[in-house]
Amino acid sequence: MKLVVIGATGRTGSEIVAEASGRGHDVDGIARSEDTIEDVRVHTSDALPDLLEDADAVIDFTVPSATREYAELVAEAGVPYVVGTTGFNEQGIDALREASESTAVLKASNFAKGVQALMRVVEAGVEALPEYDIELTETHHNGKRDAPSGTANTVLDVIDQARDEELDRTHGREGEHLREESEVGVHVRRAGNVRGEHEVMLAGNDEVLTLTHRAESRRVFAAGAVDAAEWLADKEPGWYDFADAL
Ligand SMILES: NC(=O)c1ccc[n+]([C@@H]2O[C@H](COP(=O)([O-])OP(=O)(O)OC[C@H]3O[C@@H](n4cnc5c(N)ncnc54)[C@H](OP(=O)(O)O)[C@@H]3O)[C@@H](O)[C@H]2O)c1
């Protein structure tokens, strides 16, 4: 399969290049400056239109502003598009939705299979414990830009769906404030090179249930993103998520 990885020099993009090459795919990278990673050529964005002519899929792990620009080009070329970038605002999501009218778009805030399982377990836990307080804590490396993480926001959406109400997302706490029943606490830590950890705590009735996922390396995201691209390559235009691919 011919794959283009946008953000190929990044922490995650370089793992994706290694994973895809290791599986025997023909890979080209795009970044802001030319480079070579694992014998794969990394070009600047000027090369993208030519590369799209015979690409089977594109994987993008960059920043929201870059993804918005690339989405238009990828959609015009009708190449299936796997998006791992997180931190989009509403307009960014709208731009991807628009792209999905012309090509297959699979956007996921987390390409670890364990996180997909975490979502299901969180849903079951929240439904089983309707009166319990819920607090979410996520930890990532000190180079992560967006907070809370895309995964944390997805987990919070799952909690809202399971509770059948929009809980008030209370980001950290300071000063005098009693916890309201309608709150879900959201706590963000940025330190060292932690790959990504998400913990949901449900507490009540003299007991605490904690559900935790920890990524041990970025290879887990790379493997999931390449799995998604292999699956998406022959799909019709539309909006897909990682659970569809699994
Ligand atoms: N969905 C998931 O499973 C998952 C997992 C991990 C990370 N992420 C997300 O993926 C994104 C990247 O994370 P990261 O930790 O890999 O970041 P990173 O190390 O900062 O890498 C970002 C990459 O994007 C490139 N880039 C930035 N602007 C660009 C542009 N205008 N054109 C082309 N390339 C551009 C950078 O190129 P230069 O080096 O040339 O600047 C670099 O290669 C973040 O949004 C992060 O939250 C998602």
Side-chain angles (χ1 to χ4, degrees):
M1 193 164 103
K2 196 161 169 37
L3 265 181
V4 178
V5 177
I6 310 182
T9 52
R11 281 174 286 247
T12 321
S14 53
E15 294 282 354
I16 294 170
V17 167
E19 176 72 23
S21 304
R23 293 192 197 184
H25 296 307
D26 179 4
V27 186
D28 279 281
I30 297 282
R32 282 188 293 189
S33 46
E34 290 185 357
D35 207 332
T36 306
I37 293 181
E38 307 265 338
D39 292 332
V40 165
R41 274 193 66 193
V42 178
H43 318 256
T44 56
S45 56
D46 309 346
L48 189 58
D50 281 349
L51 292 173
L52 288 174
E53 276 180 21
D54 58 350
D56 296 300
V58 173
I59 302 178
D60 183 337
F61 277 66
T62 55
V63 290
S65 55
T67 301
R68 272 187 73 171
E69 281 176 33
Y70 293 122
E72 214 177 307
L73 276 175
V74 177
E76 266 172 32
V79 180
Y81 192 30
V82 173
V83 178
T85 308
T86 61
F88 293 101
N89 58 19
E90 222 169 283
Q91 288 93 331
I93 296 290
D94 287 349
L96 289 176
R97 289 266 178 202
E98 203 178 314
S100 73
E101 287 166 21
S102 318
T103 195
V105 175
L106 188 155
K107 183 195 166 303
S109 56
N110 198 305
F111 281 96
K113 288 178 189 169
V115 163
Q116 294 301 315
L118 177 73
M119 307 286 184
R120 294 202 293 274
V121 175
V122 166
E123 185 181 20
V126 172
E127 280 174 1
L129 304 168
E131 308 295 325
Y132 285 28
D133 295 331
I134 310 172
E135 298 277 310
L136 180 148
T137 304
E138 61 104 330
T139 310
H140 280 87
H141 54 89
N142 56 22
K144 185 163 177 63
R145 291 163 190 272
D146 53 318
S149 68
T151 305
N153 285 327
T154 309
V155 172
L156 290 165
D157 290 343
V158 167
I159 291 169
D160 281 352
Q161 280 156 23
R163 275 278 158 96
D164 207 14
E165 69 171 296
E166 247 181 63
L167 295 175
D168 298 329
R169 297 178 185 184
T170 303
H171 297 273
R173 291 193 179 83
E174 191 182 29
E176 296 221 3
H177 172 74
L178 268 184
R179 194 185 198 288
E180 305 279 343
E181 267 180 35
S182 58
E183 276 180 26
V184 54
V186 184
H187 310 282
V188 173
R189 301 189 296 185
R190 294 287 174 261
N193 64 353
V194 178
R195 306 300 192 244
E197 190 170 311
H198 294 86
E199 181 199 276
V200 175
M201 180 176 84
L202 290 137
N205 188 33
D206 286 333
E207 61 178 349
V208 175
L209 170 66
T210 52
L211 305 167
T212 306
H213 177 273
R214 188 171 56 248
E216 305 278 6
S217 103
R218 289 193 180 87
R219 281 200 300 273
V220 67
F221 308 126
V226 177
D227 287 345
E230 290 169 348
W231 179 83
L232 195 69
D234 62 358
K235 295 294 172 288
E236 295 296 314
W239 186 261
Y240 301 89
D241 64 34
F242 190 41
D244 299 324
L246 290 175

